[in-house]
Amino acid sequence: MENENTFKLCITMAGAVSAGAYTAGVLDYLIETLDLWEKAKEKNRKLGVAHPDYDHTIPMHQVEIDVISGSSAGGISGSLTFMALADKKFKSFNKDNPSGTDNIFYKSWVDMGNTAENSTVDKLLNNGDLKEYGEVRSLLNTQAIDVIADEALAVREQRKIPKYASDNLDVILTTTNLRGINFMVNFDDSGRDTSKGTVITNHGGFFRYKLKNDKYPTGIPTKEDELYYVLDLSNETHLQYLKDATLSTAAFPIGLKSREVAISSEYIKRYPKYLFNKSKGIEPLLPEGAIYKFNSVDGGVINNEPYGIGLKVLREKNPKSIEACKYGVIMIDPFPNKDHDVAESGSGIMSIAGGLLKALRNQVMFNQDGILDALDMTDRTKFLIEPIRKIEKDGKWVRPKNDLAAAPIGGFAGFLSRDFREHDFQLGRKNCQVFLRYYFAVASEDIEKRLSIVPNSAIKDRYQFSVPAMDPNGEKFFPIIPDMRVLRNFDNQVDKINYGKDAEIQDLPYPKLSFSEFESRYKSKIKDRIGLIVKHLLKNKFLSFLANFFYAKNAGYKFVKEALEKELGENDLLK
């Protein structure tokens, strides 16, 4: 049942390839901050307001993560959040846990595939997959990613979901279904003649999961108008479902292996009513059988910023909270699109071909329902967390070409170095800290209306801030999620005695990579993989020998080398 006094939160995460480390850092700081606040509130509840040790500076309102939606790397982080919230041993990365022990975000996104013997790059270039499959399924070996998923999405000692997460929390992962689902649209008004119809095919899809509890038994719900699957995280089969969906949304086309997914046909049969708000007149045309199988690639191909589906679920679950404006949608996007180019295309055939591909891609990404929902949202209900880093240049603080070390090479640069990923993870934590303190807020005059509390003067003195900053006459705002590390938000006083460097997170030094060292370690492995890929694609030993001997390996490596050096150099990532 909807709690009308609770502020509902939808977190939606865009695709990011290896820059998922940034998203992971944001989520880690967010969960840690919610946890610190919940512990402070719980202490107050136990003491009672009349107790002399009751802390009157603690806001006692309730904020609840209700929906998480993600695509590609954002989908991975969504699944990791699901696991972290249910993991009794989960610990945030901070001054007391600098190695990220028992932190699923840090282990998966920063350490990634690194071991004492091999780096992530070693594993991505390993040719075991080509030898095992006898064909090229991806440019890079994704077996290391499977191992990471096995370690991250595993049975753990569970805890009760914290109070800052809903007991009917939804996690939604987008996917691109290469098989597609055919729907028959009936054009016979009487509804009797199904031959009078046309077939449309949908390649976009999503997985929606809840956690088993007293209210939600495992499996597909009995009501036909409900579309989700309830997981038991102590069940290996259910974890495999989540793992398949997670790897599906992250299967970057060509670069990483596509995934075969099997789901219940009953789940698909419920799509029309959920997607089109009706079931009469439109029905899925499914092959016989209880299981529907399809090959999938990255969910970001069709829906890279899944705020539309996240907001749709939030609305259907919390109509009164939406009406009362007691909700917020946070988009975490490592690469928000800033392309303002609307230049006319040329008339030559190559220009037309390039323009056509761009048009198809842009139109696929044009999320009309999501845009309309976002436009319908009221002021200060939608928020963006994006990478922000400043450097000093000629005596001025300016933004560099890229804020993230993982950004070059289409977001793949993070795979090259653990230092790149660690930098981005820490930047995510820092950006989240600033976001929670000075952006994710309500106008002070709306505190009671939107947060269901009337803050006393001590609470306001500790957390209220102004825009412009530190202006006594500026417009006053109040953070939706108060940060316990803050002593006085107005003039940025923080508690360094108890929280040390975590009270005010600093940027890590921007990482650098020695290309000569990189080349000496990986040149032969890159050439070997190129050679084997060519061999499997040509399917002819003699032709592949000639191609590799005279051209493929050297030309392929030259292309890779020049691309890496150019992109890393332009982004100041080379020593």
Side-chain angles (χ1 to χ4, degrees):
M1 182 179 292
E2 180 183 359
N3 186 337
E4 298 172 41
N5 292 322
T6 297
F7 189 94
K8 300 290 184 177
L9 190 57
C10 170
I11 302 172
T12 185
M13 294 163 284
V17 198
S18 65
Y22 174 82
T23 301
V26 171
L27 291 167
D28 185 52
Y29 191 86
L30 174 63
I31 289 177
E32 183 181 17
T33 303
L34 284 166
D35 203 54
L36 289 171
W37 180 32
E38 182 56 38
K39 287 175 180 175
K41 288 192 292 182
E42 185 60 29
K43 181 179 178 181
N44 268 0
R45 293 187 199 106
K46 289 179 179 178
L47 291 173
V49 70
H51 195 281
D53 292 332
Y54 185 94
D55 190 343
H56 292 275
T57 70
I58 303 296
M60 296 298 289
H61 63 283
Q62 186 67 19
V63 175
E64 197 174 77
I65 302 172
D66 199 47
V67 179
I68 296 171
S69 62
S71 175
S72 190
I76 293 176
S77 295
S79 294
L80 296 180
T81 305
F82 215 27
M83 300 297 293
L85 291 171
D87 184 0
K88 190 174 183 178
K89 293 184 178 180
F90 175 80
K91 293 190 293 189
S92 287
F93 170 88
N94 52 37
K95 68 178 181 62
D96 299 320
N97 186 25
S99 61
T101 302
D102 292 325
N103 186 297
I104 195 172
F105 299 116
Y106 193 86
K107 292 300 180 185
S108 300
W109 278 113
V110 178
D111 288 343
M112 202 173 273
N114 281 30
T115 61
E117 298 79 25
N118 294 296
S119 70
T120 299
V121 181
D122 285 316
K123 294 176 181 179
L124 292 173
L125 294 175
N126 184 281
N127 292 318
D129 59 328
L130 298 173
K131 295 173 182 177
E132 178 183 346
Y133 303 136
E135 63 179 358
V136 180
R137 297 190 179 182
S138 57
L139 295 180
L140 298 172
N141 186 339
T142 59
Q143 290 173 338
I145 296 174
D146 294 341
V147 172
I148 295 169
D150 288 339
E151 293 175 353
L153 306 179
V155 174
R156 288 176 167 79
E157 187 178 359
Q158 293 186 52
R159 62 172 172 173
K160 185 179 179 181
I161 292 292
K163 289 185 178 180
Y164 52 81
S166 171
D167 61 3
N168 68 345
L169 172 68
D170 284 283
V171 171
I172 303 163
L173 312 177
T174 66
T175 189
T176 299
N177 178 348
L178 296 183
R179 182 180 186 181
I181 300 173
N182 289 333
F183 292 92
M184 170 64 76
V185 182
N186 190 357
F187 278 82
D188 175 36
D189 286 340
S190 68
R192 292 188 295 270
D193 188 356
T194 57
S195 66
K196 293 181 179 179
T198 185
V199 174
I200 59 174
T201 304
N202 178 36
H203 290 274
F206 61 87
F207 307 94
R208 179 181 171 189
Y209 296 112
K210 292 181 184 289
L211 282 177
K212 173 193 172 184
N213 56 32
D214 293 340
K215 296 180 181 178
Y216 294 95
T218 57
I220 297 175
T222 54
K223 293 182 180 178
E224 292 188 1
D225 61 345
E226 294 181 331
L227 184 64
Y228 55 81
Y229 193 94
V230 180
L231 295 172
D232 177 358
L233 296 185
S234 65
N235 184 305
E236 290 283 1
T237 301
H238 284 202
L239 280 173
Q240 189 62 48
Y241 294 158
L242 181 61
K243 196 179 304 178
D244 289 343
T246 303
L247 293 172
S248 161
T249 192
F252 192 92
I254 311 299
L256 305 178
K257 187 180 73 170
S258 65
R259 303 287 173 166
E260 184 178 79
V261 179
I263 59 176
S264 168
S265 295
E266 179 61 32
Y267 187 89
I268 302 298
K269 289 175 184 176
R270 298 185 184 189
Y271 257 44
K273 190 165 186 179
Y274 199 80
L275 295 179
F276 310 113
N277 294 319
K278 60 172 62 181
S279 55
K280 185 178 180 181
I282 182 168
E283 61 177 311
L285 303 176
L286 296 174
E288 293 294 326
I291 301 298
Y292 171 76
K293 293 183 179 181
F294 63 95
N295 204 252
S296 67
V297 294
D298 197 315
V301 171
I302 288 179
N303 188 359
N304 197 51
E305 296 169 328
Y307 53 84
I309 182 64
L311 184 55
K312 177 182 175 67
V313 173
L314 189 73
R315 286 183 186 280
E316 75 177 30
K317 292 169 67 178
N318 307 289
K320 293 180 180 178
S321 296
I322 298 294
E323 184 179 353
C325 207
K326 295 180 179 180
Y327 74 100
V329 176
I330 298 175
M331 164 84 83
I332 306 171
D333 194 344
F335 303 127
N337 190 0
K338 307 289 186 181
D339 184 9
H340 297 280
D341 178 26
V342 289
E344 294 183 16
S345 63
S347 56
I349 188 170
M350 296 307 294
S351 294
I352 295 297
L356 178 61
L357 289 174
K358 182 178 180 181
L360 289 172
R361 171 64 174 163
N362 287 344
Q363 190 59 40
V364 162
M365 300 296 285
F366 189 82
N367 183 355
Q368 181 169 316
D369 291 338
I371 292 170
L372 292 175
D373 279 337
L375 290 174
D376 194 40
M377 295 167 70
T378 56
D379 191 31
R380 301 201 73 81
T381 55
K382 51 185 181 291
F383 302 85
L384 174 68
I385 302 180
E386 62 175 314
I388 295 177
R389 180 175 67 90
K390 291 188 177 182
I391 59 174
E392 192 173 5
K393 188 175 183 180
D394 300 327
K396 296 180 181 179
W397 289 97
V398 297
R399 294 283 296 277
K401 179 180 179 180
N402 277 313
D403 299 291
L404 298 178
I409 322 166
F412 274 80
F415 292 126
L416 302 179
S417 169
R418 185 186 183 280
D419 290 344
F420 290 6
R421 302 190 297 271
E422 186 174 31
H423 169 273
D424 293 353
F425 183 88
Q426 185 76 337
L427 184 64
R429 283 180 56 86
K430 178 182 179 177
N431 285 172
C432 186
Q433 183 176 79
V434 174
F435 171 78
L436 293 179
R437 292 177 184 179
Y438 297 111
Y439 292 93
F440 190 49
V442 299
S444 288
E445 61 266 25
D446 292 334
I447 296 174
E448 183 177 2
K449 172 188 171 185
R450 298 193 61 193
L451 301 182
S452 303
I453 60 164
V454 180
N456 58 40
S457 58
I459 290 174
K460 282 190 173 183
D461 184 63
R462 182 176 180 182
Y463 285 107
Q464 191 170 251
F465 65 94
S466 68
V467 177
M470 293 187 282
D471 183 352
N473 299 315
E475 188 177 1
K476 302 299 188 298
F477 292 92
F478 188 84
I480 294 168
I481 298 175
D483 191 334
M484 297 296 103
R485 308 168 190 84
V486 167
L487 294 175
R488 193 165 185 262
N489 220 19
F490 181 82
D491 51 4
N492 197 31
Q493 294 183 37
V494 294
D495 187 357
K496 292 187 177 180
I497 294 176
N498 289 308
Y499 297 101
K501 62 182 181 181
D502 297 326
E504 193 167 14
I505 297 172
Q506 302 298 313
D507 285 337
L508 287 178
Y510 201 56
K512 306 279 187 181
L513 181 146
S514 167
F515 198 80
S516 60
E517 292 178 9
F518 179 87
E519 190 171 28
S520 66
R521 179 168 180 176
Y522 299 117
K523 179 178 179 178
S524 62
K525 293 184 178 183
I526 293 172
K527 292 180 73 172
D528 286 347
R529 185 155 184 93
I530 291 171
L532 270 178
I533 287 174
V534 170
K535 176 183 176 181
H536 282 84
L537 290 177
L538 289 178
K539 297 288 186 182
N540 182 295
K541 290 183 179 180
F542 180 68
L543 289 178
S544 64
F545 168 77
L546 291 177
N548 279 315
F549 185 81
F550 289 107
Y551 185 74
K553 280 188 178 182
N554 290 330
Y557 180 74
K558 181 182 178 183
F559 174 80
V560 171
K561 177 184 177 181
E562 290 177 352
L564 289 177
E565 281 192 302
K566 180 176 183 293
E567 291 251 356
L568 296 177
E570 288 177 351
N571 288 277
D572 197 27
L573 287 164
L574 291 180
K575 291 181 180 178

